[in-house]
Amino acid sequence: MKHTLNKGVTFGLTSGAITTLGLMVGLHSETKSAAIVIGGILTIAVADAFSDALGIHISEEGENQHSQREVWRATVATFLTKFLFAMTFLVPILLLPLSTAIIVSVAWGMAVLAILSYLIARNERKRPWKVMGEHLGIAALVIIIAHFLGDWISTFIK
């Protein structure tokens, strides 16, 4: 039971941070529109949370090692974690100027990933800085690529 719940929460937080930040940064670079960024966040919170939850559901079933209850626990944990975490990125967008909100959102997402990575490293008795560096490096790469992709796309729609 602990495995499936842990899997859903850690996957939901990781995917919620990286996917939402990548989309937000890319849309901001492309459009500079708060309404479009908000629409992207809401889409991620619903459609991608369901998609990730189904992915975890099928993955857990495919292992053929978990009861139906455990499979559904992982599924629901993934959906709720991703949905709720993605929704937290709306707060800065609604309260701050868009460019500032993007910076605050990146800091928030990276902080959550850093804490999660630290806890994972500690649990696995690994060097925290190595695990944190790996995870934050991948997240930063996604954000940077999304930014430049948004810039590139904006050259075609202006």
Side-chain angles (χ1 to χ4, degrees), residues 28-83:
H28 173 257
S29 295
E30 180 184 344
T31 68
K32 308 290 191 261
S33 167
I36 290 174
V37 173
I38 289 169
I41 293 169
L42 292 172
T43 300
I44 289 287
V46 176
D48 205 45
F50 272 117
S51 174
D52 284 353
L54 179 60
I56 288 293
H57 186 91
I58 291 170
S59 173
E60 291 294 292
E61 281 182 331
E63 289 180 4
N64 202 26
Q65 295 179 359
H66 306 289
S67 69
Q68 276 300 109
R69 183 180 180 132
E70 289 173 322
V71 169
W72 277 103
R73 185 169 280 125
T75 303
V76 171
T78 300
F79 175 79
L80 289 176
T81 303
K82 174 130 186 198
F83 175 81

Side-chain angles (χ1 to χ4, degrees), residues 1-27:
M1 180 171 92
K2 183 181 177 186
H3 163 78
T4 55
L5 186 60
N6 187 41
K7 187 174 208 172
V9 171
T10 56
F11 187 87
L13 283 174
T14 303
S15 180
I18 294 173
T19 308
T20 308
L21 288 174
L23 184 74
M24 289 173 66
V25 168
L27 289 174

Side-chain angles (χ1 to χ4, degrees), residues 86-137:
M87 295 297 281
T88 66
F89 291 101
L90 286 174
V91 175
I93 303 296
L94 295 171
L95 298 177
L96 302 168
L98 185 57
S99 292
T100 304
I102 295 296
I103 293 167
V104 168
S105 294
V106 169
W108 164 239
M110 295 298 261
V112 169
L113 279 176
I115 292 166
L116 180 61
S117 298
Y118 175 81
L119 294 173
I120 289 169
R122 202 175 89 194
N123 187 48
E124 294 180 356
R125 291 180 170 71
K126 293 183 178 177
R127 291 184 176 166
W129 297 113
K130 183 178 182 195
V131 174
M132 291 168 67
E134 176 184 325
H135 297 171
L136 294 175

